[in-house]
Amino acid sequence: MALANLALRIAGVLALICVSSQAFIPVYAVTYSMTLQTDMPAYSGAQPIMITGVISPAPGPNTGVIITIKNPAGSVADINEVFPNPTDGTFADTSVPGGSAAWTTGTFTVNATWGGNSGTASKTVTFYYSPNGTTTSTSSTTTTSSTTTSSTTSTTSSSIAIVTTSSAPEFPSGVPAVVVLVGMALVALLSRKVVMKPSSSVRR
């Protein structure tokens, strides 16, 4: 019995030592890392900005990534929250620029911050933006030339001279004189006959 009691006491002391030793074992936190990139180095106009990244190790479910885009002056141009894939840690976001006055010309900064499972991770990248410049898209403009034909109408005024002619027959220049002379001779002859004819009222 004495040996049995001694063995129980030794076993209890060993168990207590093992439990106590656990308190002195350091607990190491999981270190998370993040990758972040944009699909192009420069954008213009309303060209979509594709932002992708990966959190490693995989963060598990119910965690989010806050993505903030700031212009060269530090003003927020866009902010959004996306949820990484719990299995492989990938995440993606699309930002369409030009929606506010913060989208000015210059170098913009993208900041992605993740937190969860007693760990955090963040990353920043930059890109260049121009509201009116052209980087990848090419637009073709068709110019239609409009030709205006001006037609001038010339009006010619013609003067028409109206000549009125008499209906009398046309005679040579010497004929009227002859006619006058013949007429005078006839008048003289007739008057002479009238004078020479005796009057019927004179009696002998």
Side-chain angles (χ1 to χ4, degrees), residues 79-127:
I79 186 169
N80 194 21
E81 181 180 12
V82 296
F83 301 96
N85 187 304
T87 304
D88 58 13
T90 58
F91 62 90
D93 182 34
T94 302
S95 177
V96 179
S100 67
W103 290 98
T104 58
T105 301
T107 302
F108 282 66
T109 302
V110 181
N111 177 272
T113 301
W114 169 86
N117 297 332
S118 300
T120 59
S122 63
K123 194 75 173 181
T124 60
V125 293
T126 60
F127 64 86

Side-chain angles (χ1 to χ4, degrees), residues 18-96:
C18 290
V19 172
S20 300
S21 64
Q22 296 295 323
F24 298 98
I25 297 176
V27 177
Y28 295 98
V30 178
T31 301
Y32 290 88
S33 63
M34 178 188 293
T35 62
L36 185 68
Q37 60 275 330
T38 58
D39 61 329
M40 295 178 62
Y43 303 88
S44 65
Q47 191 176 5
I49 303 170
M50 303 294 296
I51 303 168
T52 57
V54 179
I55 300 171
S56 182
N62 303 321
T63 60
V65 179
I66 304 298
I67 298 177
T68 307
I69 301 176
K70 294 183 178 181
N71 66 8
S75 300
V76 176
D78 193 13
I79 186 169
N80 194 21
E81 181 180 12
V82 296
F83 301 96
N85 187 304
T87 304
D88 58 13
T90 58
F91 62 90
D93 182 34
T94 302
S95 177
V96 179

Side-chain angles (χ1 to χ4, degrees), residues 148-165:
T148 303
T149 303
S150 177
S151 60
T152 304
T153 303
S154 299
T155 303
T156 304
S157 299
S158 60
S159 299
I160 301 174
I162 301 175
V163 180
T164 304
T165 59

